[in-house]
């Protein structure tokens, strides 16, 4: 295992330990997502700041606000990382108001955070709505609020709104023929690959080879939504077999540490998502020193957080139904 990837893994584990010590009742998956956000920012969690932001958020948003739902810790950590927590929240709130609908929930909050962090809010909000309309027109039964963060990711990618969605549709058609995955995952992957660099054909080929390589090596992410995280490596300069080997090494390393180890640790598919992120982080260099690289890291973390929120909401609903 290369030293850079090992360093990223240890940083994630340490950030998790700090956040968990002050948020005992939080979902492990959300703690990990927030730990990854601090890792990308090159910062160590400051629990005093996170606690102060909890008080600030409480004064700004009511108990039943979508800002205080499943992803409340994510909102508080993002506020704590900002030099102006209150100003950051107001920017997110502004973005939320611009893109919300009657059915808006926590996924719209995540989309609003993506937009608020990139500036030029009026333009990117309109692009987000335009892209989402195109998604809905092309796949009316597949598209839901869960896709809004990906519309936001496309909107801030710097590409023309129609062009980036046209590429997503091309990728969807290719993956449908080449990759074993459910339709929701194929759509998610098409959105992620569309905002990465390179030709659609090459990105699809790399993704499929990586998925096959991980399965052959015993490190598969399965066929569901977790597999979508592989999209962040589709434009890597490394061959698929090398990437698969590095992900496997990171996976084996992480499972030795809390919260990945033991009977009560997060599942192996979730662990492998973070192994993928650690490998990508190791290839990005010093993200904290370069604004463009930091933007890329934010995009990747938004993808991870989006998938984890789906997992959390699903497990919560399952637990609730089994208790009746």
């Amino acid at each position: 295992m290369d030293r850079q990837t090992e360093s990223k893994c240890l940083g994630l584990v340490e950030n998790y330990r700090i956040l968990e010590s002050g948020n005992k009742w939080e979902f492990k998956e959300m703690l990990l997502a927030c730990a990854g956000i601090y890792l990308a920012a090159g910062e160590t969690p400051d629990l005093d700041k996170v606690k102060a932001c909890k008080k600030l958020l409480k004064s700004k948003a009511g108990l039943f606000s979508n800002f205080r739902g499943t992803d409340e810790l994510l909102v508080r950590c993002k506020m704590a990382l900002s030099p102006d927590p209150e100003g950051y929240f107001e920017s997110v709130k502004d973005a939320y108001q611009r893109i919300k609908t009657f059915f808006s929930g926590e996924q719209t909050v995540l989309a609003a955070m993506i937009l608020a962090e990139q500036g030029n809010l009026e333009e990117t909000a309109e692009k987000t709505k335009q892209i989402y309309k195109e998604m809905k027109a092309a796949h009316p039964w597949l598209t839901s609020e869960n896709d809004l963060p990906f519309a936001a990711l496309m909107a801030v990618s710097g590409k023309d709104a129609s062009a980036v969605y046209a590429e997503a549709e091309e990728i969807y058609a290719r993956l449908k023929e080449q990759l074993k995955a459910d339709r929701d995952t194929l759509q998610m992957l098409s959105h992620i690959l569309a905002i990465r660099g390179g030709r659609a054909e090459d990105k699809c080929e790399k993704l499929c080879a990586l998925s096959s390589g991980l399965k052959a090596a015993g490190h598969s992410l399965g066929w569901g939504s977790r597999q979508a995280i592989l999209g962040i490596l589709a434009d890597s300069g490394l061959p698929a077999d090398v990437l698969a080997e590095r992900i496997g090494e990171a996976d084996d390393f992480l499972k030795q540490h809390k919260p990945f180890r033991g009977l009560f640790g997060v599942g192996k598919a979730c662990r492998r998502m973070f192994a993928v992120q650690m490998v990508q982080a190791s290839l990005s260099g010093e993200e904290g020193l370069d604004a463009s690289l930091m933007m890329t890291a934010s995009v990747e973390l938004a993808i991870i957080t989006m998938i984890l929120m789906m997992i959390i909401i699903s497990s919560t609903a399952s637990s609730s139904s089994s208790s009746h």
Side-chain angles (χ1 to χ4, degrees):
M1 183 178 184
D2 67 282
R3 286 184 294 177
Q4 185 74 352
T5 304
E6 181 177 346
S7 174
K8 297 295 183 182
C9 289
L10 290 173
L12 179 74
V13 169
E14 176 61 12
N15 287 349
Y16 174 88
R17 183 193 66 77
I18 295 170
L19 287 170
E20 194 256 353
S21 69
N23 300 274
K24 294 290 186 182
W25 304 108
E26 187 61 65
F27 285 102
K28 292 184 178 70
E29 293 88 349
M30 188 55 72
L31 286 167
L32 280 166
C34 293
I37 288 168
Y38 276 97
L39 184 71
E43 299 284 346
T44 300
D46 183 327
L47 292 181
D48 289 336
K49 285 186 179 180
V50 175
K51 185 177 180 180
C53 287
K54 181 177 184 179
K55 184 177 180 180
L56 176 59
L57 181 60
K58 187 176 180 180
S59 72
K60 293 285 185 178
L63 180 61
F64 299 104
S65 167
N66 288 323
F67 290 98
R68 296 181 61 193
T70 304
D71 57 350
E72 179 183 334
L73 180 63
L74 172 62
V75 177
R76 289 195 276 123
C77 287
K78 286 285 194 178
M79 289 170 67
L81 279 167
S82 172
D84 178 12
E86 184 172 2
Y88 173 79
F89 175 78
E90 292 299 331
S91 294
V92 174
K93 186 178 178 181
D94 183 10
Y96 180 86
Q97 293 296 327
R98 290 174 184 269
I99 61 174
K100 75 173 184 176
T101 68
F102 179 78
F103 299 103
S104 288
E106 292 165 351
Q107 317 300 358
T108 305
V109 173
L110 180 56
M113 286 193 286
I114 293 168
L115 298 180
E117 289 165 14
Q118 304 307 323
N120 201 4
L121 190 53
E122 183 175 355
E123 178 184 341
T124 55
E126 285 304 312
K127 285 178 70 175
T128 298
K129 290 190 286 186
Q130 178 187 340
I131 292 168
Y132 185 76
K133 285 179 182 178
E134 293 189 42
M135 289 180 183
K136 196 72 174 175
H139 303 284
W141 299 108
L142 276 180
T143 305
S144 69
E145 188 202 1
N146 290 337
D147 296 289
L148 192 58
F150 295 104
L153 291 173
M154 291 184 191
V156 302
S157 68
K159 298 183 179 181
D160 175 76
S162 295
V164 72
Y165 191 69
E167 182 178 349
E169 280 299 288
E170 177 189 349
I171 291 168
Y172 181 87
R174 288 180 180 276
L175 291 180
K176 192 175 180 181
E177 300 297 322
Q178 300 172 11
L179 186 69
K180 183 179 178 181
D182 61 65
R183 291 192 302 165
D184 285 326
T185 301
L186 291 176
Q187 176 157 304
M188 199 182 302
L189 270 167
S190 72
H191 300 160
I192 296 167
L193 293 187
I195 62 175
R196 309 301 299 188
R199 298 193 311 157
E201 181 180 0
D202 294 337
K203 289 183 287 190
C204 290
E205 182 180 340
K206 173 69 73 66
L207 176 80
C208 294
L210 181 54
S211 179
S212 297
L214 288 170
K215 182 182 179 183
H219 295 279
S220 173
L221 282 87
W223 306 118
S225 60
R226 297 164 183 82
Q227 187 179 196
I229 197 62
L230 295 177
I232 68 173
L233 289 171
D235 57 350
S236 168
L238 293 179
D241 58 340
V242 175
L243 290 171
E245 181 180 1
R246 292 193 181 187
I247 292 168
E249 290 172 345
D251 183 24
D252 290 338
F253 184 84
L254 287 174
K255 70 181 179 183
Q256 302 173 45
H257 301 273
K258 185 181 179 182
F260 300 103
R261 69 184 181 204
L263 183 63
F264 298 104
V266 298
K268 62 183 180 182
C270 180
R271 183 183 71 235
R272 289 167 185 168
M273 284 176 57
F274 283 95
V276 172
Q277 192 220 345
M278 294 303 98
V279 170
Q280 198 288 327
S282 73
L283 298 174
S284 292
E286 298 297 325
E287 294 112 322
L289 301 180
D290 187 279
S292 63
L293 289 175
M294 191 61 208
M295 187 266 191
T296 301
S298 296
V299 168
E300 290 147 5
L301 287 164
I303 295 166
I304 292 170
T305 305
M306 170 64 194
I307 297 171
L308 289 177
M309 284 171 62
M310 291 168 62
I311 296 168
I312 290 168
I313 292 167
S314 175
S315 63
T316 302
S318 176
S319 175
S320 176
S321 63
S322 65
S323 66
H324 292 289

